[in-house]
Amino acid sequence: MIIQRQDPIPSPPETAVPAQPPPATFREPPLCVDLDGTLIAGDLLWESLIALMRSQPWLLLLLPWWLLRGRAYLKEQLASRVQLDAGSLPYRQEVLALLRREKAANRYLVLATASNVRLARAVADHLDLFDEVLASDTARNLKGRNKLKALQEQFGQVGFDYIGDARADLPLWEASRKAYLIQPSRRLLRQAQARCTPNLIETPRPRPIRAAVKLMRPHQWAKNLLLFVALIGAHMVSQGPRLLACCLAFLAFSACASAIYILNDLTDLEADRRHPTKCRRPLASGALSIPTGLVLLGLLLGGSFTLSLAALPLLFTGSMVLYLILTTWYSLHLKREPIVDVFVLAGLYTLRIVAGGLAATVPVSGWLLAFAIFFFISLALAKRYAELARAAEENSEGLQRRGYLVEDLGLIRSLGPASGYMAILTMCLYINAPETRQLYSSPQLLWGVCLVLFYWITRVWFLAQRRLLHEDPVIFAIKDPTSYFCGAVVAAVLLIASAGMWGHVSNVPR
């Protein structure tokens, strides 16, 4: 389909609009540029599918029916139901620089793409570089030889140069006066060399393995060490089968968590691309393609539940299902509900402790659950406070897609430390509980743990108040030397307080 850039905004007609050939004053043939994988490090078809999944997931059931009527029809149906932010797409800066140089030299530029005309037109309007747009409509998928036929019909007498990136572009490179290639594989480069003299546009080479590891966020697996808390709290670490069960649970839960991080990145693509640091994430930056992300998500999720069902109690698998439901619901909706999102985050941390107890068949103390929920509510509020404070410094009104306003800073600053101190109060009450004497020979020493916790929680909020807490407090603790020192002191106090009780507790019937 052919659309002139000066055409009106309403939806394009289904019949082709004839375009005038480039004026004779142009000294060079038109430069035609592919969109998906060439102008952007991505594919608008997959971008549209993710946008549909985020906004109207029930319509995904219609995908097979739309596809049966052809890829062009599928693209039209998607483009008519989703809105993509053309300004946030991962454009290849090297290609944009070339186009701007050619435009300055009075070159006639054409965006020639298999993407739907609605989306292609939005990109062209945003960049304000192209003199003409050739794109798919409801009847024709403008890819490969279909695109070549359209270009030859339009520019048969003057010829054209072409920039592309895929095997489908081989006939276009062969027919073009000058062929430009973007990040070709060795095989594609050999195929292109057999048909033409390719010109390579240098772009940063992708590192898919490194990007995949980054996408999985292995540093976040440290949070899953909470699975061992119930076992440690019951003084049963020395029991091999229970410890092995916790280790397997850690692997299964980490794989499940990584799958959820990938899902979260997929649903947050546009928001991440507008973020100053999250824009460098593999999916948002285009370092890893959306299909690769979906495959990785499926492998991690499948491996996680296979391991859980094969080697761990069914109740643990049920806790992972609950974790999956809550995190998916959180990613799609709950994260936009202020206060609710904090409770969900705290609940997900506490759920890890419960899941660890289920994996090792160790009862989880009510004292431990009460302490955990107050403690993690404080940390979740600290995370939101740090994000909101950063937004205030950037003169933003609040957090995009989070539901918080800058005016909420004072309330969060009050609730956060209070919740942390409630956790300490729970610990204080636990010291004097009758069941504590069954686990600790010197429970009075646990007051030292309370003092360390008081110091650490207060320090976290001091850093947040001073705008020095730049990340998730849990990740901050993993990187913070002072936090390691506090953890070592707590561990030492617990060991001393429980001295002489390990053998006794290990023999207590459960």
Side-chain angles (χ1 to χ4, degrees):
M1 184 164 187
I2 303 171
I3 301 292
Q4 297 291 347
R5 199 182 65 193
Q6 60 267 28
D7 284 349
I9 295 300
S11 300
E14 295 188 1
T15 57
V17 178
Q20 297 299 322
T25 55
F26 288 145
R27 294 172 296 176
E28 298 283 341
L31 177 58
C32 303
V33 187
D34 183 36
L35 177 55
D36 301 318
T38 301
L39 183 59
I40 64 171
D43 189 314
L44 292 189
L45 174 59
W46 286 102
E47 299 272 350
S48 302
L49 283 170
I50 295 300
L52 186 70
M53 179 185 75
R54 183 172 59 243
S55 60
Q56 305 174 76
W58 56 89
L59 290 180
L60 295 177
L61 297 174
L62 296 177
L63 289 180
W65 168 248
W66 293 342
L67 188 57
L68 284 174
R69 299 187 63 177
R71 290 179 68 90
Y73 185 82
L74 170 66
K75 293 175 181 179
E76 171 65 24
Q77 293 303 309
L78 290 172
S80 65
R81 288 171 168 81
V82 302
Q83 290 183 343
L84 297 180
D85 181 5
S88 68
L89 294 173
Y91 292 99
R92 295 193 189 277
Q93 297 304 314
E94 299 79 9
V95 178
L96 282 179
L98 172 63
L99 294 178
R100 289 182 178 121
R101 289 196 301 269
E102 295 296 324
K103 187 68 175 179
N106 203 30
R107 188 78 179 271
Y108 194 83
L109 302 183
V110 180
L111 182 61
T113 175
S115 290
N116 183 266
V117 65
R118 300 171 188 260
L119 305 181
R121 194 173 177 180
V123 170
D125 290 341
H126 168 71
L127 294 176
D128 196 26
L129 285 172
F130 297 100
D131 300 284
E132 192 171 330
V133 174
L134 295 168
S136 299
D137 56 19
T138 55
R140 181 173 61 171
N141 186 38
L142 209 70
K143 186 174 182 179
R145 296 198 176 277
N146 284 340
K147 186 187 293 187
L148 175 59
K149 181 179 178 182
L151 291 177
Q152 288 177 332
E153 288 175 354
Q154 188 66 14
F155 311 116
Q157 295 182 350
V158 295
F160 60 89
D161 295 345
Y162 185 77
I163 308 176
D165 72 295
R167 189 174 182 275
D169 296 320
L170 285 171
L172 292 114
W173 285 323
E174 184 177 12
S176 65
R177 186 200 66 161
K178 200 171 186 178
Y180 295 90
L181 279 67
I182 300 289
Q183 290 184 351
S185 63
R186 293 181 180 179
R187 181 180 179 185
L188 180 59
L189 182 58
R190 287 195 301 269
Q191 291 174 333
Q193 288 172 336
R195 300 183 180 215
C196 62
T197 303
N199 298 272
L200 300 182
I201 298 179
E202 294 296 332
T203 59
R205 298 298 301 179
R207 298 180 179 179
I209 296 179
R210 182 177 179 180
V213 171
K214 184 178 180 181
L215 182 66
M216 291 165 57
R217 296 191 187 55
H219 62 281
Q220 297 278 8
W221 295 351
K223 298 177 181 178
N224 298 326
L225 292 174
L226 291 170
L227 291 161
F228 294 89
V229 168
L231 188 66
I232 295 171
H235 296 186
M236 295 183 180
V237 180
S238 59
Q239 298 184 14
R242 296 181 192 270
L243 181 60
L244 176 61
C246 276
C247 292
L248 294 176
F250 176 84
L251 293 176
F253 221 93
S254 296
C256 182
S258 289
I260 296 301
Y261 289 132
I262 295 174
L263 178 62
N264 187 63
D265 283 0
L266 287 169
T267 57
D268 272 355
L269 270 179
E270 289 191 0
D272 285 351
R273 286 167 179 164
R274 291 190 290 266
H275 194 275
T277 57
K278 293 180 181 180
C279 62
R280 293 192 288 269
R281 287 178 174 176
L283 292 175
S285 65
L288 209 64
S289 68
I290 291 176
T292 302
L294 289 171
V295 169
L296 189 57
L297 187 156
L299 290 175
L300 288 168
L301 213 53
S304 170
F305 280 94
T306 299
L307 175 60
S308 176
L309 290 170
L312 294 166
L314 191 60
L315 284 175
F316 172 78
T317 304
S319 69
M320 283 214 312
V321 172
L322 179 59
Y323 176 83
L324 180 64
I325 292 172
L326 283 176
T327 48
T328 303
W329 192 13
Y330 174 81
S331 297
L332 296 177
H333 176 67
L334 293 179
K335 65 165 58 178
R336 295 189 289 273
E337 299 296 328
I339 305 302
V340 173
D341 67 324
V342 168
F343 282 102
V344 173
L345 283 176
L348 290 174
Y349 282 118
T350 307
L351 180 59
R352 288 173 167 92
I353 297 176
V354 175
L358 294 173
T361 60
V362 172
V364 181
S365 164
W367 291 104
L368 176 58
L369 293 179
F371 170 85
I373 197 69
F374 283 121
F375 182 75
F376 291 121
I377 284 176
S378 179
L379 295 190
L381 286 168
K383 179 180 180 180
R384 288 291 176 262
Y385 183 88
E387 293 172 343
L388 198 56
R390 186 163 51 247
E393 291 177 349
E394 296 170 356
N395 296 320
S396 175
E397 295 182 358
L399 297 179
Q400 288 187 354
R401 300 186 65 196
R402 296 294 188 187
Y404 290 93
L405 301 176
V406 171
E407 289 82 358
D408 301 328
L409 276 172
L411 180 60
I412 295 174
R413 187 169 56 235
S414 300
L415 293 175
S419 181
Y421 299 146
M422 286 290 290
I424 299 172
L425 177 60
T426 303
M427 181 72 182
C428 294
L429 296 173
Y430 169 72
I431 293 173
N432 296 310
E435 56 265 43
T436 308
R437 298 188 180 278
Q438 298 178 9
L439 295 172
Y440 297 94
S441 58
S442 303
Q444 66 274 13
L445 294 179
L446 297 179
W447 286 102
V449 174
C450 296
L451 293 175
V452 174
L453 287 173
F454 188 93
Y455 165 76
W456 189 82
I457 290 172
T458 304
R459 179 172 177 266
V460 166
W461 279 97
F462 258 92
L463 294 174
Q465 171 72 19
R466 296 175 179 179
R467 310 298 196 260
L468 297 176
L469 188 68
H470 301 301
E471 53 195 340
D472 185 328
V474 176
I475 302 303
F476 159 79
I478 295 171
K479 301 177 181 178
D480 178 45
T482 303
S483 297
Y484 279 102
F485 176 76
C486 291
V489 172
V490 168
V493 171
L494 291 175
L495 284 172
I496 296 171
S498 61
M501 299 296 293
W502 286 85
H504 170 72
V505 172
S506 298
N507 295 323
V508 174
R510 295 284 173 178

